[in-house]
Amino acid sequence: MQKNDLFELSIIDMGAGGEGIGRYDGMTFFVKDACIGDVVRARATKIKKNYGYARVEEVLTPSTFRVTPKCPVYKQCGGCQIQALSYEKQLEYKQEKVRNALIRIGGFPEKEIERKMLPIVGMETPFRYRNKAQFPAGKDKDGNVITGFYAARTHHIIPVEDCLLGVEENRGILNAVQSWMTEHRISPYDERTGEGLVRHILIRYGFTTKELMVCLVINGARLPFAEELIALLKPISGMTSISYNINPFQTNVILGEKTECIWGLPYITDYIHLRACKDGDDFALTDTAIAYHISPQSFYQVNPVQTEKLYSTALEYAGLTGKECVWDLYCGIGTISLFLSQRAKQVYGVEAVPQAIEDAKANAKLNGITNVRFFVGKAEEVLPDFYAQASSSQKQPEADMLRPDVIVVDPPRKGCDGKCLEVMLRMQPQRIVYVSCDPATLARDLRVLCDGGYALEKVRAFDQFGQTVHVETVVCLSKF
Ligand code: SAH
């Protein structure tokens, strides 16, 4: 077998990146753009010792799980890795991903996982769920201004008028900005030369308030023809905030440090509702809601509806009665902390990014919440520091900080630091709720916690990002 060889194979599984997996000639092949159930003619793109990579040349027998992707540029864009798979099958794939990780990486017995794992929570409509979009601006071959997305793994812009994961409102805004740029001869930024003004158009939408925010990221100190831009954007229904952000650096980072509001408010408001979530029910909305002010720079969950289900489940798993002390590690802007505070005596939030903590404190204030304290720092440093304080004669931390009833963690993909897990075990909370965006690191960390005296109670996966390979999971552990 050599590179560029053609061969036929059946796709029997799917890998972590959504690629098809099949076997040929005693080797495992990872086949780009193939779906589980397909029989394909593939071309080898890379050969290793006992595995290889290939791409589809022709689908010989399409899988019964295939659907026609709704987006015309889904292949070039690469943002939706599994749009060609029926949504039902996407959910099954994600459920399996979590299950397999727990069994293979976590070493949990299959029987135990079967008993503890609930069915994945999918979306009602797996499109138009994102409340945030960032479109780069560029030029086509004829020099016309275009906006769109970067093609997979490149910085080449594919013109996209409408991304089906984003809200419909994006299109009108992009058209307005594009015509404003064309009329006033405002050039898009060119990454290669570092010339040109408009880099990205950032749009955010409040799903519950229908408020819209537009922020133009520019390579310059001020925005020319600002009044003309405002005149075009202001009439769009829901427009609440228009701003520009200055980013003069040759970098992949989208936003610069300084944002100037030129019309309306410097933020939009959105609400996250608590949903009823006894296992298996329909996540009906409740009257409890937390308000958030979201500025262009703020971190905010991009799928607000699924976030409500996910965080409501995390709160349910925390099993609070109003008397508990809870740590919320990796708390971001405090979304989970503020939810928890509704039913806890005291919540302590820890987050590494100072700006997120500023937002968290402002959000607590906005909602009149007083039983939450936030700390800036790494979870694996902040927690041990409290122990150090306790054993020194200086300022004593409150006793409940060292013996919380519940610890909630929501770490980034790389999972929890070993030191953080160690302190969690030392604190011996009754329950640990682990919210994860990566099944592999989740399984690794659960193994440590279960070896340290905790038992799996419940595992539930959530689809926050339909059409992509990502999956979120909430796990409840209890001390035994
Ligand atoms: N629960 C949060 C989001 C969590 S995302 C919310 O809903 O807003 C993970 C967060 O962990 C990010 O905000 C990231 O900045 C933070 N983080 C990353 N490494 C960290 C560490 N070592 N200690 C504390 N926070 C960390």
Side-chain angles (χ1 to χ4, degrees):
M1 187 63 127
Q2 285 182 338
K3 189 176 167 181
N4 285 327
D5 278 1
L6 276 173
F7 57 104
E8 284 178 21
L9 81 171
S10 301
I11 304 301
I12 51 171
D13 204 352
M14 277 169 74
E19 68 282 11
I21 298 178
R23 288 187 65 79
Y24 182 81
D25 202 13
M27 287 170 68
T28 300
F29 276 92
F30 300 94
V31 190
K32 192 174 171 306
D33 295 327
C35 275
I36 185 163
D38 282 343
V39 178
V40 300
R41 179 172 299 124
R43 190 179 288 281
T45 50
K46 205 186 232 174
I47 302 289
K48 299 276 186 180
K49 201 165 165 210
N50 43 20
Y51 67 96
Y53 297 90
R55 66 178 149 75
V56 173
E57 279 284 310
E58 192 188 345
V59 179
L60 301 171
T61 317
S63 159
T64 51
F65 307 119
R66 266 191 186 270
V67 293
T68 309
K70 285 193 184 191
C71 174
V73 294
Y74 109 97
K75 260 194 194 167
Q76 294 123 283
C77 167
C80 292
Q81 304 92 350
I82 52 173
Q83 209 185 100
L85 205 59
S86 72
Y87 188 56
E88 227 180 6
K89 196 70 186 171
Q90 289 184 23
L91 293 179
E92 197 183 307
Y93 161 76
K94 294 184 189 193
Q95 176 88 354
E96 277 300 296
K97 202 172 180 175
V98 176
R99 203 182 87 95
N100 283 338
L102 294 175
I103 295 167
R104 291 190 194 155
I105 303 169
F108 293 96
E110 229 173 297
K111 281 240 161 62
E112 183 181 2
I113 299 304
E114 239 133 67
R115 277 202 319 274
K116 308 287 169 66
M117 200 167 169
L118 293 141
I120 185 168
V121 179
M123 290 178 225
E124 271 158 45
T125 320
F127 288 99
R128 304 238 178 257
Y129 57 79
R130 284 186 66 100
N131 58 13
K132 174 184 169 186
Q134 307 177 103
F135 298 93
K139 274 185 187 163
D140 66 11
K141 287 197 294 288
D142 306 321
N144 301 312
V145 173
I146 52 167
T147 54
F149 282 115
Y150 292 125
R153 291 177 293 277
T154 74
H155 268 211
H156 166 72
I157 298 172
I158 317 165
V160 181
E161 296 236 313
D162 190 19
C163 167
L164 298 172
L165 301 192
V167 294
E168 269 158 0
E169 283 75 0
N170 291 342
R171 198 189 320 192
I173 293 171
L174 287 183
N175 286 343
V177 174
Q178 236 165 294
S179 58
W180 167 79
M181 288 175 71
T182 306
E183 185 172 342
H184 301 288
R185 295 174 186 276
I186 293 168
S187 56
Y189 177 71
D190 182 334
E191 284 190 316
R192 284 160 310 177
T193 61
E195 307 275 315
L197 187 75
V198 178
R199 300 172 71 120
H200 274 88
I201 299 126
L202 164 67
I203 305 171
R204 301 186 97 149
Y205 177 72
F207 268 63
T208 59
T209 56
K210 302 198 170 9
E211 291 184 0
L212 274 168
M213 159 184 289
V214 180
C215 177
L216 259 54
V217 185
I218 59 168
N219 169 41
R222 53 170 281 280
L223 191 72
F225 300 102
E227 286 308 317
E228 288 78 357
L229 179 69
I230 293 168
L232 285 174
L233 292 176
K234 178 169 86 168
I236 296 175
S237 169
M239 191 57 63
T240 302
S241 167
I242 305 174
S243 60
Y244 65 88
N245 171 277
I246 299 171
N247 185 356
F249 302 108
Q250 272 186 290
T251 159
N252 285 342
V253 179
I254 294 179
L255 287 171
E257 263 172 34
K258 198 166 166 240
T259 302
E260 202 63 54
C261 180
I262 54 173
W263 182 84
L265 297 168
Y267 55 82
I268 57 170
T269 303
D270 199 17
Y271 293 86
I272 296 188
H273 286 261
L274 183 66
R275 288 181 182 247
C277 61
K278 288 273 174 269
D279 297 338
D281 83 2
D282 61 352
F283 292 97
L285 284 171
T286 70
D287 291 338
T288 308
I290 310 274
Y292 294 88
H293 281 173
I294 311 156
S295 59
Q297 277 107 329
S298 299
F299 171 85
Y300 191 67
Q301 294 285 344
V302 296
N303 182 337
V305 175
Q306 288 299 100
T307 294
E308 290 182 342
K309 299 180 188 172
L310 179 76
Y311 288 179
S312 298
T313 302
L315 179 60
E316 176 78 18
Y317 286 2
L320 303 175
T321 62
K323 294 192 208 115
E324 293 82 2
C325 163
V326 188
W327 277 98
D328 178 21
L329 308 179
Y330 311 86
C331 72
I333 57 162
T335 322
I336 299 179
S337 320
L338 300 184
F339 251 45
L340 294 165
S341 75
Q342 307 290 304
R343 294 203 194 147
K345 186 170 123 228
Q346 179 68 43
V347 180
Y348 300 109
V350 181
E351 160 63 43
V353 175
Q355 179 59 43
I357 288 289
E358 299 275 304
D359 287 353
K361 286 182 179 163
N363 288 328
K365 202 163 169 200
L366 178 68
N367 291 281
I369 292 171
T370 53
N371 59 338
V372 186
R373 275 174 69 193
F374 291 106
F375 302 93
V376 181
K378 292 187 173 167
E380 63 272 22
E381 290 169 7
V382 172
L383 292 193
D385 281 356
F386 280 110
Y387 273 103
Q389 279 178 29
S391 49
S392 76
S393 56
Q394 297 159 8
K395 209 177 100 214
Q396 290 288 317
E398 282 145 54
D400 65 358
M401 284 183 142
L402 301 179
R403 293 307 300 264
D405 302 284
V406 181
I407 299 181
V408 179
V409 297
D410 182 8
R413 281 189 202 162
K414 69 171 190 232
C416 294
D417 188 277
K419 268 199 224 94
C420 176
L421 295 172
E422 203 182 298
V423 184
M424 284 164 68
L425 290 174
R426 216 169 131 192
M427 288 178 153
Q428 302 213 352
Q430 280 307 318
R431 279 176 298 286
I432 295 175
V433 180
Y434 196 130
V435 181
S436 154
C437 54
D438 185 304
T441 57
L442 168 70
R444 180 200 66 196
D445 292 350
L446 290 182
R447 175 44 49 215
V448 176
L449 295 170
C450 289
D451 287 346
Y454 284 80
L456 271 191
E457 290 293 331
K458 282 178 190 166
V459 179
R460 191 156 209 188
F462 288 79
D463 186 24
Q464 298 269 93
F465 307 104
Q467 320 305 333
T468 79
V469 293
H470 302 294
V471 56
E472 304 257 331
T473 314
V474 186
V475 176
C476 177
L477 299 169
S478 67
K479 190 160 74 127
F480 62 69

